[in-house]
Amino acid sequence: MSLQDLLAVLPAGSPEEALARQVNFDRLPEHVAVIMDGNGRWAAQRHLPRVEGHRAGIESVRDVVEGSARVGIKVLTLYAFSVENWKRPAMEVSTLMALLKRYLRLELNTLLRNNIRFRVIGRPEDLAPDIQRELADAEEKTAANTGMLFNIALNYGGRAEIVEAAKRLLAAGVRPDELDEQRFSGFLYTAGQPDPDLLIRTSGEMRVSNFLLWQIAYAEIWVTETLWPDFRKRHLLEAILAYQKRERRYGGIKQPAVAGR
Ligand code: FPP
């Protein structure tokens, strides 16, 4: 994917187009992770029930998945439902699940057309059987795609992921002298994937919220006041441009974003 692929879906002369033209396609973040926040506040501002914010958030998901694939992001991870989100009212939880199911039904062809591979990270085994089937179906049908990897974090918790990884490595009989950071990473849900270079959080909150705790060790964090239902390609491009202006140090000395990893 490239500038031309991106320009094909941006209105000519739009602010998005101007932003797209500033992107350095040789220095893209490989993995972008997003904490989609602010759906409830978006709905409250409009005197609507909270679930309407989630419904509107689906359009942002569509726009950002398409935008990321066209920019040439290799891995996009969206935080859709945390292990803590079960504490929300049952109606909100069931609406979120129904929205997810609908999204998969409606968007599977778009994912296939755009060569996007879909994967779930988290504990889908605790979700309702019909949702599990839908997720497994989307994973299976997109498994051979070679373009962007789209991870959806569902029933996900960063600490739970680390504990599960520890259990699995003990069960695999890994001895302490064989264990290092790289080996440990291989037991996480994201085994084999690059760590996020850029973590985006919407709605202005300055929290990590138990998301990819191990993997974001060196991620650049970009927080926007924009609420998730208002988030579009334009904001993704702003985040990428901000990322490209950062110096990444990995605890060492100055180095430009991305290059020299
Ligand atoms: C946070 O907003 C958002 C969520 C807990 C859910 C995000 C889910 C979606 C956008 C829809 C389903 C996703 C996919 C990928 C199909 P909040 O409710 O915490 O907002 P608030 O902080 O303003 O209350």
Side-chain angles (χ1 to χ4, degrees):
M1 294 283 168
S2 65
L3 178 61
Q4 291 317 315
D5 294 304
L6 185 58
L7 292 181
V9 293
L10 301 178
S14 64
E16 289 88 331
E17 183 193 329
L19 290 169
R21 291 189 183 282
Q22 293 171 49
V23 171
N24 179 346
F25 287 82
D26 296 325
R27 285 178 40 189
L28 289 173
E30 268 194 289
H31 184 167
V32 176
V34 187
I35 302 177
M36 308 181 285
D37 196 12
N39 295 352
R41 275 161 282 171
W42 185 93
Q45 285 171 1
R46 289 160 181 77
H47 309 288
L48 293 169
R50 292 178 54 80
V51 292
E52 291 308 316
H54 299 316
R55 207 182 302 283
I58 295 285
E59 198 44 50
S60 311
V61 171
R62 275 200 204 104
D63 204 62
V64 168
V65 168
E66 179 191 47
S68 304
R70 288 199 174 249
V71 170
I73 301 299
K74 291 207 173 77
V75 186
L76 173 72
T77 303
L78 300 185
Y79 201 5
F81 194 83
S82 76
V83 287
E84 290 84 15
N85 286 153
W86 294 108
K87 293 183 213 142
R88 295 186 176 212
M91 204 282 260
E92 185 173 341
V93 172
S94 61
T95 306
L96 272 169
M97 294 300 155
L99 285 172
L100 174 69
K101 195 167 161 181
R102 227 184 74 199
Y103 169 82
L104 290 172
R105 292 246 163 113
L106 294 175
E107 291 301 300
L108 186 58
N109 279 333
T110 315
L111 299 181
L112 288 166
R113 221 179 22 253
N114 289 289
N115 196 21
I116 296 170
R117 184 155 58 100
F118 175 81
R119 269 210 58 203
V120 180
I121 60 169
R123 295 181 50 81
E125 57 273 30
D126 300 336
L127 303 176
D130 61 318
I131 305 287
Q132 288 190 46
R133 270 196 303 278
E134 208 71 34
L135 293 166
D137 186 58
E139 283 189 331
E140 233 171 82
K141 290 192 170 131
T142 62
N145 287 350
T146 54
M148 186 179 82
L149 171 61
F150 169 23
N151 291 314
I152 185 158
L154 263 183
N155 195 21
Y156 175 89
R159 287 184 172 181
E161 177 182 26
I162 292 170
V163 171
E164 258 189 57
K167 285 185 181 166
R168 270 191 257 124
L169 74 87
L170 289 173
V174 177
R175 293 194 318 270
D177 61 304
E178 295 171 328
L179 189 59
D180 58 15
E181 292 180 6
Q182 202 191 343
R183 188 85 196 266
F184 191 88
S185 302
F187 287 90
L188 296 170
Y189 302 139
T190 51
Q193 302 179 21
D195 286 338
D197 305 290
L198 173 61
L199 172 68
I200 297 174
R201 181 161 190 150
T202 59
S203 89
E205 306 291 347
M206 300 287 182
R207 284 190 292 277
V208 166
S209 298
N210 202 15
F211 189 41
L212 301 174
L213 293 182
W214 173 284
Q215 297 90 334
I216 60 168
Y218 293 102
E220 295 294 327
I221 302 179
W222 188 79
V223 176
T224 173
E225 290 296 324
T226 304
L227 305 177
W228 178 252
D230 293 324
F231 196 94
R232 289 292 181 274
K233 290 186 191 77
R234 177 165 68 80
H235 304 96
L236 174 71
L237 292 170
E238 282 171 9
I240 291 173
L241 289 170
Y243 165 84
Q244 292 186 331
K245 291 198 181 92
R246 304 256 181 107
E247 273 167 16
R248 303 194 76 189
R249 299 191 186 186
Y250 302 97
I253 52 163
K254 255 170 124 168
Q255 40 183 320
V258 183
R261 287 187 65 185

